[in-house]
Amino acid sequence: MDDTRSRVTSTTSRDGSLDERDLAYAIAFKVFELRRAAGLSQSELAARAGMKQGHVSRLESAKSTPTLPVLLRVAAGLGMTLTVNFTPEERQ
């Protein structure tokens, strides 16, 4: 996952925003990080989130961009809530 972290931090656009693919990598790394911190395997998280292990694997490898319902299920499986944050763009 270190490769994913470096990809996310090195591929932002000039204005600092992430495109959809980069956002998928950022989400992938965060899910991986939270799952490992919780001491869960992909299979355990999948069972808690009501999905298959392969879906968690694709999510963590950024091979798919998750929908909000999927993120809500993953958050619940991790014992967390999902928070979406809108941040004003910095104007120059």
Side-chain angles (χ1 to χ4, degrees):
M1 271 297 160
D2 288 333
D3 181 47
T4 301
R5 182 185 304 176
S6 65
R7 176 170 162 63
V8 169
T9 57
S10 67
T11 58
T12 56
S13 65
R14 275 185 256 150
D15 68 357
S17 64
L18 296 172
D19 67 20
E20 185 176 339
R21 191 77 197 134
D22 295 327
L23 186 57
Y25 276 99
I27 291 168
F29 180 74
K30 191 63 176 179
V31 170
F32 170 81
E33 195 174 51
L34 292 169
R35 178 183 60 78
R36 292 289 300 257
L40 299 172
S41 68
Q42 287 182 348
S43 296
E44 290 168 325
L45 175 56
R48 290 178 176 202
M51 58 182 61
K52 295 183 178 181
Q53 180 273 332
H55 197 159
V56 174
S57 177
R58 285 189 301 280
L59 175 64
E60 288 187 358
S61 62
K63 291 183 179 174
S64 66
T65 303
T67 62
L68 282 175
V70 167
L71 291 174
L72 287 166
R73 289 167 53 190
V74 169
L78 292 166
M80 301 181 154
T81 58
L82 178 66
T83 303
V84 177
N85 185 27
F86 291 90
T87 306
E89 293 180 9
E90 291 183 22
R91 307 260 179 192
Q92 294 185 11

